[in-house]
Amino acid sequence: MNIELTGTLYIVATPIGNLGDMSIRAIQVLKDVAIVACESSRHSKLLLNRYCIHSRTISYQEQNDQKGLKKILYHLSCGESVAFISDAGTPLISDPGYRLVSSARDAGHNVIPVPGCCALIAAISVSGLPSNQFRFVGFLSAKVSQRRSSMKSLCDCSETLIFYEAPHRILATLEDAVQHFGSDRTAFMAREISKKFETYHRALLGELYELVKSDPNQQRGEIVLVVSGKQEKTEVSEIESERILDLLVGEMSLSKAAALTSKITGVQKNTLYKKALAAQTKIKAD
Ligand code: SAM
């Protein structure tokens, strides 16, 4: 009889700062598997030592790591279980692991997540910005022109936007964000989540830019930037805008009433002014 062996590949989330955020299950899985494949074995040593995890480790960097991929698939095909961890947080989220998971699935192996920390989820959970729908943009290009064209394409997106950004680029990114999204969108910056010097700021985008510009400490460490999506102006019916205009015309000049109604309803000031003028002319003629 031909017995087909198949191991399980565990995708294990690890802390993004505070090592205490490691889950009990994650520790157990890392202890139980035959091999822990790490984005960087040297980096992960600290975590593994802290929890007395002595499983064999190998490095797997994904980019041009055909040899590493084959090795992991070989172990899985021998019926051994392998865990994969990235340097921090959930693997595959702006981290390596996609090719590994895809190849393991293609080969018919079980792939099981061990959920845990993820910087974007931690950030949006405390941002106070709408979280029912959001778009994770991840890292924008380091090239200025590509970064700007990505922002341009996101201008009309109504979902909350989430960016990962490097500290040396945060100011330039905020400046571009103000240019493309406008200074009055609500924004939130989470820095060094779960670490000693964690900070959280919620402000209008323009204010956040000024704050980060004036405080070099805000240009250090690991950063998640959250920006509210484009808010559609709710359409006010023609009847409603005329009602507001009528009320205001009794209290102030035509031009002021038109300007204020325009602000309230979003209807063009000129259109409203013409309407008010026509109504006034009609009343006088009657
Ligand atoms: N896989 C990780 C996750 O699940 O969030 C993300 C890895 S990505 C290479 C690293 C980026 O994630 C950082 O540049 C930063 O934007 C964000 N990040 C990671 N840890 C963070 C932290 N403690 N505080 C704020 N942002 C963090």
Side-chain angles (χ1 to χ4, degrees):
M1 194 169 63
N2 213 352
I3 299 173
E4 250 190 75
L5 286 175
T6 182
T8 298
L9 172 66
Y10 291 95
I11 300 299
V12 182
T14 58
I16 54 170
N18 191 325
L19 292 190
D21 288 335
M22 189 72 176
S23 78
I24 294 170
R25 181 169 170 242
I27 297 166
Q28 199 55 54
V29 166
L30 293 180
K31 281 184 174 174
D32 289 349
V33 291
I35 288 165
V36 178
C38 313
E39 180 183 1
S40 152
S41 300
R42 219 162 57 105
H43 180 98
S44 295
K45 268 273 165 297
L46 187 70
L47 176 78
L48 300 178
N49 286 342
R50 160 86 180 255
Y51 290 104
C52 303
I53 296 163
H54 304 299
S55 307
R56 185 179 152 207
T57 59
I58 57 170
S59 277
Y60 173 68
Q61 265 131 26
E62 187 128 301
Q63 289 292 358
N64 305 318
D65 199 355
Q66 209 51 33
K67 214 170 119 197
L69 180 62
K70 273 194 181 154
K71 208 174 185 178
I72 296 172
L73 293 176
Y74 171 73
H75 285 287
L76 290 170
S77 68
C78 293
E80 291 177 331
S81 289
V82 178
F84 176 59
I85 55 175
S86 60
D87 283 351
T90 302
L92 283 85
I93 305 301
S94 296
D95 259 350
Y98 163 71
R99 208 170 294 166
L100 174 60
V101 170
S102 161
S103 307
R105 284 210 169 278
D106 286 348
H109 301 301
N110 302 316
V111 184
I112 292 185
V114 180
C117 296
C118 182
L120 77 104
I121 300 298
I124 197 162
S125 72
V126 292
S127 69
L129 289 172
S131 53
N132 53 337
Q133 288 195 323
F134 58 82
R135 188 181 299 193
F136 174 54
V137 183
F139 287 104
L140 291 163
S141 170
K143 290 195 181 120
V144 177
S145 60
Q146 277 183 30
R147 184 175 71 218
R148 290 183 180 160
S149 84
S150 298
M151 282 201 186
K152 206 170 162 195
S153 71
L154 292 166
C155 274
D156 290 330
C157 177
S158 60
E159 299 138 2
T160 300
L161 303 169
I162 308 179
F163 303 91
Y164 280 171
E165 195 46 285
H168 61 280
R169 277 199 290 268
I170 186 63
L171 196 59
T173 294
L174 280 169
E175 192 173 7
D176 283 347
V178 170
Q179 287 292 321
H180 288 85
F181 305 138
S183 57
D184 57 358
R185 282 210 200 175
T186 307
F188 178 77
M189 195 171 102
R191 207 180 58 84
E192 296 286 90
I193 300 168
S194 78
K195 299 189 204 176
K196 191 172 177 189
F197 297 110
E198 65 191 329
T199 58
Y200 302 92
H201 291 289
R202 185 178 136 124
L204 295 180
L205 203 37
E207 292 168 356
L208 188 63
Y209 167 69
E210 292 302 334
L211 186 146
V212 173
K213 193 175 166 189
S214 65
D215 181 359
N217 279 332
Q218 293 300 318
Q219 299 166 41
R220 297 200 174 106
E222 298 197 278
I223 296 166
V224 181
L225 176 66
V226 187
V227 179
S228 66
K230 185 179 179 182
Q231 303 300 307
E232 286 303 328
K233 287 214 165 69
T234 45
E235 268 189 32
V236 178
S237 72
E238 202 175 327
I239 297 171
E240 182 62 1
S241 68
E242 281 177 17
R243 193 182 70 81
I244 296 169
L245 187 62
D246 273 355
L247 281 173
L248 295 178
V249 162
E251 304 294 328
M252 57 190 77
S253 71
L254 279 194
S255 153
K256 258 194 178 166
L260 207 51
T261 310
S262 169
K263 267 195 183 160
I264 296 166
T265 62
V267 177
Q268 280 215 325
K269 181 183 158 192
N270 223 10
T271 313
L272 292 163
Y273 183 78
K274 279 182 191 159
K275 268 193 184 165
L277 199 61
Q280 208 168 56
T281 317
K282 189 168 178 288
I283 291 167
K284 277 186 187 156
D286 291 345

